[in-house]
Amino acid sequence: MSQRRRVGPAGRMRPAAPARPAHAGRLARWERLAFTLAFALMAAFIAVVAISSEGLRRPMALPAPARSASGPAASRGGPQRLAAGRAPSVSPAAARARRRAWDRRLAAALAPVLARHPGTMGVGVIDQTTGAVAVYGGGTHFATAGVEKATILASLLLDRAATGLGGTDERLAAQMTEASDDSAGTRLWDAAGQTAGLTAADRKLGLRHTLPGSARDWGLTMTTVGDQLTLLRDLTTARSPLSAADRSYELTLLRAAAGSQRWGASAAASPGTSYAIQDGDLADGPSNWVITSIGVLDRGHQHLLLAVLGAGQPSRAAGIALVQAAAAAAADRVTAGP
């Protein structure tokens, strides 16, 4: 129904005052009680809905894993079971303590070897099956000698990542690694950019404590056991600046080394297994030999990265004997477990 209008003083129509609602005025007591009760019920309903919604959004807390005297329970199929291939997370302090414990075990295993051989030695081993890492003599720098060939090839592969190696480079790479041809190594050192190129490649590869030698003395590159383990990781894991194809290519060449060039860390490999190896020897005087060896190998059912660097050896034969004994002792110790 339209509202009635009346004429104002200036002849304008203005709306009539609205009629007073029938319910205007003070409510009866029973009406007030009814409204109060209704509002209380509505508020309670809204609160229940909100609490229920929050419960649906909040993830259910899993029970804490059961513990035993020997550590966390590892019952099969339980909620605390780790995903396949995933190592349990540990605090940085616990990781450092574990690393120090492995270093002490390696030092104890090498003590009989050091007692029989003169000179200095650095040894590093990574068990890729269990994640154990042990290093002895990690702060000492050694000349790389022939093991620098593995870094030369990795550096060249990084430099040629966009184009790939040419036929000449592939031929030289095979000669350098399979036949331990130093002349081929020098040509590839030049192709990789000599000292400046190798320095840049070392940074990409994560070799933070390696100082490349000169163009004609690349065997005098100074390195540490830790950096050589890093290089081996670069060749065997996806977290590497090298592509999967380049990693496979270099490892294939290192596995094809001639038998006369496979005398170092290969002593730790299980008989009949395939391994990638790079050995080196360098005479710094008639009775001061540098003997080095790095390798990717299997010991039993465990996959190892192994680096052994020796210096101050009275002869090449003595240095080789030291490297072989140290490699075998290190592999035995790390694969035996804690």
Side-chain angles (χ1 to χ4, degrees):
M1 179 182 297
S2 62
Q3 293 181 336
R4 295 180 181 177
R5 297 177 179 273
R6 58 184 178 183
V7 179
R12 294 189 297 272
M13 297 295 292
R14 59 184 179 185
R20 186 182 183 87
H23 62 268
R26 184 178 181 82
L27 296 174
R29 177 173 298 186
W30 69 269
E31 290 178 315
R32 294 199 301 274
L33 290 174
F35 276 114
T36 300
L37 181 59
F39 284 130
L41 290 174
M42 291 176 64
F45 176 75
I46 293 171
V48 170
V49 171
I51 292 172
S52 299
S53 300
E54 178 63 21
L56 291 174
R57 290 192 298 268
R58 184 178 302 162
M60 182 180 295
L62 293 175
R67 299 185 68 85
S68 65
S70 59
S75 59
R76 296 182 180 178
Q80 68 273 24
R81 186 180 182 187
L82 295 172
R86 183 178 299 172
S89 59
V90 295
S91 68
R96 289 192 296 270
R98 183 187 182 200
R99 175 68 177 273
R100 288 194 295 269
W102 272 113
D103 290 351
R104 289 193 295 270
R105 295 179 191 123
L106 177 59
L110 292 173
V113 176
L114 294 171
R116 299 192 303 268
H117 295 274
T120 58
M121 182 176 63
V123 181
V125 58
I126 297 175
D127 187 339
Q128 292 188 309
T129 304
T130 64
V133 179
V135 172
Y136 174 85
T140 304
H141 280 76
F142 297 85
T144 56
V147 301
E148 180 64 10
K149 294 169 184 173
T151 302
I152 292 173
L153 181 53
S155 300
L156 186 66
L157 290 170
L158 286 177
D159 186 66
R160 304 286 197 272
T163 61
L165 299 185
T168 299
D169 289 339
E170 289 184 343
R171 177 177 55 81
L172 290 172
Q175 291 176 356
M176 178 182 71
T177 55
E178 296 176 15
S180 192
D181 187 330
D182 290 345
S183 297
T186 298
R187 292 180 64 181
L188 291 181
W189 170 279
D190 293 340
Q194 298 186 341
T195 302
L198 268 292
T199 299
D202 285 346
R203 286 197 297 268
K204 293 179 182 178
L205 293 166
L207 311 186
R208 298 183 179 87
H209 306 287
T210 296
L211 180 64
S214 66
R216 300 304 170 209
D217 292 316
W218 46 261
L220 293 179
T221 294
M222 301 303 292
T223 192
T224 63
V225 164
D227 273 8
Q228 292 306 300
L229 290 179
T230 297
L231 175 64
L232 294 175
R233 273 178 167 157
D234 288 334
L235 294 176
T236 56
T237 64
R239 297 183 63 180
S240 167
L242 296 166
S243 69
D246 286 344
R247 296 195 302 271
S248 177
Y249 172 73
E250 178 157 354
L251 287 173
T252 297
L253 291 181
L254 294 178
R255 288 190 182 98
S260 60
Q261 305 300 323
R262 300 163 74 85
W263 41 256
S266 55
S270 293
T273 59
S274 174
Y275 49 84
I277 196 81
Q278 181 66 67
D279 296 322
D281 58 88
L282 177 68
D284 186 18
S287 59
N288 185 19
W289 282 79
V290 172
I291 306 294
T292 57
S293 183
I294 59 175
V296 179
L297 53 94
D298 291 325
R299 182 79 164 183
H301 298 290
Q302 288 162 250
H303 196 59
L304 306 182
L305 309 181
L306 187 57
V308 184
L309 309 176
Q313 300 304 301
S315 66
R316 182 175 184 272
I320 291 175
L322 168 67
V323 167
Q324 291 177 337
D332 279 344
R333 185 62 195 88
V334 78
T335 55

